[in-house]
Amino acid sequence: MPAQDERDDRRDSYERANQDEISKVPGSQVLSGAINGDAALSVRATKLPVDSRYARIMRVMQDAERKRPRLRRLGDRLGAWYTPAALAVAALGWIVSGDPNRFLAVIVIATPCPLLIGIPVAMIGAISLAARRGIIIKNPAILERVDKCRTLVFDKTGTLTYGKPSVTEILCAPGFSGGDVLRMAASLEQYSKHPLSGAILAAARDANLSLQPVGQIGEKPGEGLSGIVGRKRIQITGRGALADEGLRRPAALPPSAPGLECLVFVDGLYAAAFRFHDEPRRESVSFVRHLTPHHGVGKVILLSGDRESEVRHLAGRVGIAEAHSGKSPEDKVGIVARESGRGGTLFVGDGINDAPAMQAATVGVAFGQNSDITSEAADAVVLDASLRKVDELIHIGRRMRRVALQSAVGGMTLSVVGMMAAAAGYLPPVAGAIAQEVIDVAAVLNAVRVALPFEDLTDF
């Protein structure tokens, strides 16, 4: 498989590794955190924990969290001027009339309950509505900002795509048959957790091919997979790793094409090229197209650690103009932080490599439940891996903000009218207290509407 370009692909596969059993033979690499079955074995540690990829990602996450901008709450912004204004009106009424009861009446009706109650009730209603739709809100403050994000950044694998590459072509060299090469490759790939391994095994199952015994397996990071299948030495690698593997570039090698690819060598001879594609989600195109007209999004970015040809291929299919490929977690943080400095950003990802970028974004959304670390870093977690749920989150935030502003601003407006009446002597303190209670109840009842979805929460 391609060397440098495929390293991030292999990392992503390790992050997505599930709890299924995988066989190991002497010489195989073992990931940190792997759980042994009931057999005795010896494992040699070749790296310190501090040097692991996991530790590096955690360091980047912590740095991004320290630099993350703190959102100023809606209630704080509105209340900054309301309280001084109320005190000024109360003092003016007292000074002009000389009656301290007017000061008391103004203060009674001016209590900022619509701010203190209306906005939190609207937010709780939005959290409840989101939970019923399979969206867990971890940071309620993002509900005030998610609809204001004008830059959306997406990871590729598992977010805009299904995260399950499939074999689309087997291009054999002269003297080799597709069935034989596929059988040998699948026999070897059953010991790997690379996402392309699953695609090759699925192709072998579809072809009803039986697998062969394997020995002397080796899988160096970025250099592909090798082993003995039957009595033949099989190597599965990429174009960029041919020299590192001691292999000559074959004359029969087909030209490069968009998508993922791996090359199979049998006893040092080029046998076949396997080509793969990770299909975009069914709703990806319509979702991306509707972002600008319906949500005012000015920029959509595809940000991935995968090879450039695959990223460009997907970007063209779903209609994204700006795409970045081959990016490490550190690179992703830099790009997202730069965009966040220009305005609100919404980042959607699903792998551990995406966790630091989520911390750097205005709003970070974890897609699915592939990684506990990603879910911990995100502001919201979409349990059902569907772009429609991301759209629902944006609409829930928009609805919450609109209703909360209605309750807060409407309640404060009525309070201001009452303050003027109290300052002018038309509203005594007791009547002011009753009027304030009526205003508070109206603000709360309006805020409760957030949890009652009378309208469709998607528009694509």
Side-chain angles (χ1 to χ4, degrees):
M1 297 158 209
Q4 182 61 41
D5 294 333
E6 286 297 315
R7 288 178 185 173
D8 290 319
D9 288 342
R10 286 193 176 273
R11 292 167 190 157
D12 288 342
S13 72
Y14 297 149
E15 297 150 17
R16 303 173 197 281
N18 52 32
Q19 299 301 318
D20 297 337
E21 294 183 359
I22 178 171
S23 302
K24 293 291 183 180
V25 296
S28 299
Q29 291 189 342
V30 180
L31 298 177
S32 60
I35 300 175
N36 182 35
D38 54 6
L41 79 163
S42 299
V43 179
R44 182 177 62 185
T46 58
K47 290 184 179 180
L48 296 173
V50 71
D51 298 322
S52 68
R53 187 66 180 173
Y54 172 83
R56 290 173 56 193
I57 290 174
M58 292 304 298
R59 287 196 295 270
V60 175
M61 273 190 62
Q62 292 165 0
D63 184 62
E65 186 174 11
R66 285 194 297 268
K67 297 178 180 178
R68 188 174 192 179
R70 301 300 174 186
L71 301 179
R72 190 181 176 196
R73 299 294 297 274
L74 179 63
D76 296 338
R77 296 197 297 271
L78 294 175
W81 62 267
Y82 180 76
T83 301
L87 291 173
V89 172
L92 183 63
W94 185 2
I95 292 172
V96 171
S97 66
D99 183 2
N101 285 329
R102 294 195 182 185
F103 181 89
L104 178 60
V106 172
I107 294 300
V108 167
I109 198 171
T111 55
C113 290
L115 284 176
L116 300 176
I117 301 176
I119 293 178
V121 168
M123 191 167 291
I124 292 172
I127 294 172
S128 175
L129 175 60
R132 293 201 305 270
R133 293 177 172 266
I135 305 168
I136 305 302
I137 306 297
K138 298 183 58 189
N139 179 10
I142 61 103
L143 289 168
E144 303 173 16
R145 297 292 303 273
V146 66
D147 184 49
K148 297 296 181 180
C149 293
R150 296 295 175 256
T151 299
L152 265 67
V153 186
F154 294 94
D155 177 44
K156 181 184 78 70
T157 305
T159 304
L160 290 176
T161 70
Y162 290 104
K164 296 179 180 179
S166 59
V167 178
T168 55
E169 274 188 296
I170 300 178
L171 305 177
C172 291
F176 293 91
S177 69
D180 290 340
V181 176
L182 179 57
R183 177 185 288 108
M184 291 184 289
S187 299
L188 186 58
E189 291 284 11
Q190 65 181 315
Y191 296 100
S192 174
K193 291 299 285 186
H194 191 279
L196 300 187
S197 302
I200 293 174
L201 287 169
R205 284 195 300 269
D206 293 341
N208 295 318
L209 298 176
S210 59
L211 304 185
Q212 299 173 270
V214 180
Q216 300 183 22
I217 292 178
E219 187 173 13
K220 298 179 181 179
E223 296 183 7
L225 185 66
S226 64
I228 303 298
V229 179
R231 295 185 177 182
K232 300 180 182 295
R233 179 168 181 77
I234 308 300
Q235 293 169 276
I236 304 176
T237 186
R239 294 172 187 258
L242 292 178
D244 295 336
E245 292 288 291
L247 301 169
R248 290 186 301 175
R249 188 180 184 87
L253 188 65
S256 297
L260 298 172
E261 177 192 70
C262 69
L263 308 179
V264 181
F265 288 79
V266 178
D267 289 335
L269 298 176
Y270 167 67
F274 287 19
R275 287 180 175 170
F276 311 79
H277 274 304
D278 188 3
E279 288 299 309
R281 292 183 181 274
R282 183 174 52 188
E283 70 269 25
S284 292
V285 176
S286 57
F287 177 75
V288 171
R289 285 178 178 174
H290 101 292
L291 289 174
T292 298
H294 291 274
H295 297 290
V297 173
K299 182 186 291 187
V300 181
I301 300 174
L302 179 57
L303 187 58
S304 175
D306 293 346
R307 58 186 295 192
E308 182 176 5
S309 60
E310 179 71 3
V311 174
R312 292 292 179 187
H313 176 76
L314 177 65
R317 291 192 62 178
V318 301
I320 296 179
E322 184 174 342
H324 301 271
S325 59
K327 300 303 179 183
S328 67
E330 296 88 343
D331 297 331
K332 291 182 178 182
V333 169
I335 293 172
V336 173
R338 183 176 67 248
E339 295 296 335
S340 297
R342 299 170 181 169
T345 55
L346 170 61
F347 183 92
V348 183
D350 74 325
I352 187 175
N353 285 355
D354 301 321
M358 288 182 186
Q359 294 281 358
T362 306
V363 178
V365 177
F367 209 57
Q369 305 176 71
N370 292 321
S371 169
D372 291 339
I373 295 174
T374 308
S375 299
E376 184 65 26
D379 297 304
V381 180
V382 176
L383 300 180
D384 181 15
S386 168
L387 292 171
R388 187 169 295 275
K389 294 298 181 181
V390 177
D391 194 50
E392 287 185 4
L393 173 61
I394 297 174
H395 280 273
I396 290 172
R398 174 187 294 177
R399 181 185 180 90
M400 190 284 299
R401 184 180 176 85
R402 182 177 68 247
V403 174
L405 282 172
Q406 289 174 356
S407 294
V409 176
M412 287 192 301
T413 300
L414 293 175
S415 293
V416 168
V417 173
M419 284 191 294
M420 296 303 178
Y426 296 110
L427 197 65
V430 174
I434 296 174
Q436 181 60 47
E437 292 301 322
V438 173
I439 294 172
D440 294 346
V441 171
V444 170
L445 290 177
N446 183 69
V448 169
R449 293 192 303 113
V450 175
L452 306 174
F454 293 111
E455 59 189 46
D456 191 2
L457 291 178
T458 59
D459 52 16
F460 77 98

